Amino acid sequence: MGEDADPRTINHGFLRDHNYVTEADIISTAEFNHTGDLLATGDKGGRVVIFQREPESKNEPYSQGEYNVYSTFQSHEPEFDYLKSLEIEEKINKIKWLPKQNAAHALLSTNDKTIKLWKITERDKRPEGYNLKDEEGKLKDLSTVTSLQVPVLKPMDLMVEVSPRRIFANGHTYHVNSISVNSDCETYMSADDLRINLWHLAITDRSFSILCHDYSDQSSSLA
């Protein structure tokens, strides 16, 4: 079996308990980035797990490499809409990567109601030699600062940082089931069963409805 094993494997070490998979661990969506080097999966527990493809092995130049866990973060939490007495699940419905424009990566994730924009960055250096802070980051007593020094960057273990950039909420009455990023890298669409909204990535408090299907209008026209 070792000779027939597919080299395009995924490291499953990201599970909360490798020997016991819960309902929250069930994958609900998956999406490759534009190069195929990163794979993001969303689960029913509201988590997003990003896998990175390892470089091809010199011993096996034609293998596609293995996907190992690159970063894991909690994207959505369960909520309750008190006005509608409605529970909103944390399950991730869709993930979409944005085209890469700088060193950072960005993706959109959505549950039934709320769409979030996330930024993923890498850090492998840390600044040292602050003038007003000590090594622990605490402010120094200014009376003890007698000379100025130039901070320097020193190598450190690679750290992947994921930070929320935008939250797009209250745009849909029904459950969001699809999102699509425009080629202009500035706008995207979100859709539920009856409505398609157009959003700008820099504007969170409003969207434009470019398609809205009204069953009441259809019923009256068919009568």
Side-chain angles (χ1 to χ4, degrees):
M1 183 175 178
E3 297 179 355
D4 299 331
D6 190 344
R8 294 167 294 181
T9 57
I10 290 179
N11 186 336
H12 294 281
F14 70 97
L15 292 176
R16 294 182 177 93
D17 186 339
H18 186 73
N19 297 316
Y20 181 70
V21 179
T22 67
E23 180 75 13
D25 292 314
I26 296 177
I27 294 175
S28 54
T29 185
E31 184 81 10
F32 281 104
N33 72 339
H34 295 77
T35 63
D37 293 328
L38 296 177
L39 169 65
T41 65
D43 61 26
K44 289 188 174 183
R47 284 186 312 160
V48 172
V49 181
I50 302 176
F51 299 90
Q52 183 180 50
R53 183 170 60 186
E54 297 300 319
E56 293 183 355
S57 171
K58 294 182 180 180
N59 298 327
E60 300 180 32
Y62 298 104
S63 70
Q64 296 299 313
E66 181 181 85
Y67 281 86
N68 290 312
V69 175
Y70 177 69
S71 180
T72 302
F73 62 96
Q74 189 70 31
S75 175
H76 288 71
E77 299 282 355
E79 301 177 34
F80 188 81
D81 188 337
Y82 292 95
L83 295 177
K84 299 179 181 178
S85 297
L86 179 67
E87 292 185 0
I88 302 174
E89 295 183 350
E90 65 270 36
K91 183 189 77 170
I92 306 299
N93 290 343
K94 286 292 181 180
I95 293 174
K96 284 294 181 181
W97 290 90
L98 274 66
K100 191 175 180 181
Q101 297 180 301
N102 48 46
H105 297 278
L107 61 80
L108 291 166
S109 62
T110 182
N111 65 350
D112 287 340
K113 298 295 182 183
T114 304
I115 305 167
K116 295 184 179 182
L117 173 63
W118 299 90
K119 181 180 179 181
I120 302 101
T121 56
E122 293 183 353
R123 186 154 59 95
D124 59 0
K125 294 181 177 63
R126 66 174 183 271
E128 290 187 1
Y130 287 108
N131 290 290
L132 303 179
K133 296 180 180 179
D134 58 21
E135 295 180 356
E136 297 179 356
K138 298 180 180 179
L139 289 176
K140 296 179 180 179
D141 184 354
L142 296 182
S143 62
T144 63
V145 180
T146 58
S147 61
L148 296 178
Q149 57 182 336
V150 179
V152 295
L153 294 175
K154 292 193 174 180
M156 59 175 287
D157 293 336
L158 178 65
M159 179 182 297
V160 180
E161 298 177 334
V162 180
S163 56
R165 306 299 294 174
R166 302 281 190 279
I167 297 178
F168 307 89
N170 303 320
H172 290 272
T173 302
Y174 300 94
H175 293 173
V176 178
N177 52 46
S178 180
I179 50 178
S180 179
V181 179
N182 199 348
S183 58
D184 62 9
C185 302
E186 295 182 350
T187 57
Y188 73 94
M189 292 187 299
S190 60
D192 59 28
D193 290 342
L194 301 179
R195 182 188 299 270
I196 298 177
N197 287 345
L198 178 66
W199 301 81
H200 194 285
L201 288 169
I203 303 173
T204 61
D205 58 352
R206 65 182 181 274
S207 63
F208 298 94
S209 295
I210 60 177
L211 177 63
C212 183
H213 189 87
D214 191 339
Y215 274 122
S216 62
D217 292 344
Q218 183 186 42
S219 298
S220 61
S221 63
L222 294 176

